Amino acid sequence: MFVDILGYLQDFLKGKLPSLPGELPNLNDWENHLTTIFPEVRLKRYLEMRGADGGPWRKLCALPAFWVGILYDETSLQNVLDLTADWTPEERLMLRNKVPVMGLKTPFRDGLLRHVVEDVAKFAKDGLERRGYKEAGFLNALTEVVNTGVTPAEKLLELYHGKWGQSVDPIFEELLY
């Protein structure tokens, strides 16, 4: 199947599609193609952060507030860049693989990832406060995770293995809205 798709794309790039003879892809085709890719971050006319694009309403504003606090404030952005400047590709790959399983308890360098998250969450909060729009309250959901060290996924797993009797149905009734 992959070979067929690859051949089709190669023909399209060369203008050799039987259904579109001589037709070459244009910018609109490229933009349309990019909408079918779902990485963690997509560049549109804005940054689309897909890692947490759903969940309980009271938590939805935490992700954009976090990124605004980091990306829209030079001091916070520089602090994060300084913090991560010497991270190796192997460490970043390890974090990508282990954090979904171990959360903030992921071992990292001389401690746990939780300590890094504490620093970065503070950078985001400081960045929001410097903006002066009183947005820092949107980070309360993140602050709770940092303070307790327990991620929303860990809370859901505890409910799933306990109160919910290994059923996912209650998530739709109890947590989403």
Side-chain angles (χ1 to χ4, degrees), residues 1-94:
M1 169 99 173
F2 179 74
V3 175
D4 295 335
I5 293 170
L6 186 58
Y8 175 86
L9 290 174
Q10 289 173 336
D11 288 348
F12 187 33
L13 290 171
K14 295 175 187 173
K16 294 183 178 181
L17 282 182
S19 58
L20 298 169
E23 190 83 23
L24 294 172
N26 58 40
L27 186 58
N28 189 48
D29 295 316
W30 179 246
E31 289 173 352
N32 187 41
H33 172 69
L34 289 177
T35 67
T36 66
I37 301 170
F38 295 96
E40 288 300 310
V41 178
R42 284 197 299 193
L43 179 61
K44 293 187 170 185
R45 290 193 168 119
Y46 51 87
L47 292 176
E48 179 183 52
M49 310 292 187
R50 302 195 45 83
D53 59 358
W57 178 252
R58 67 189 180 281
K59 295 181 179 182
L60 286 178
C61 292
L63 182 67
F66 170 82
W67 285 112
V68 166
I70 298 295
L71 298 175
Y72 288 39
D73 181 77
E74 289 296 324
T75 302
S76 292
L77 180 57
Q78 191 58 55
N79 286 338
V80 171
L81 291 172
D82 292 344
L83 178 71
T84 61
D86 66 342
W87 290 12
T88 66
E90 294 79 17
E91 286 174 318
R92 290 191 302 270
L93 181 60
M94 179 278 298

Side-chain angles (χ1 to χ4, degrees), residues 109-135:
R109 295 192 171 184
D110 294 332
L112 299 177
L113 184 64
R114 180 177 178 180
H115 302 295
V116 175
V117 174
E118 287 172 346
D119 290 341
V120 176
K122 178 155 181 19
F123 298 153
K125 182 178 182 214
D126 293 346
L128 289 175
E129 288 175 352
R130 281 189 286 272
R131 284 170 45 91
Y133 294 116
K134 300 181 181 180
E135 303 160 302

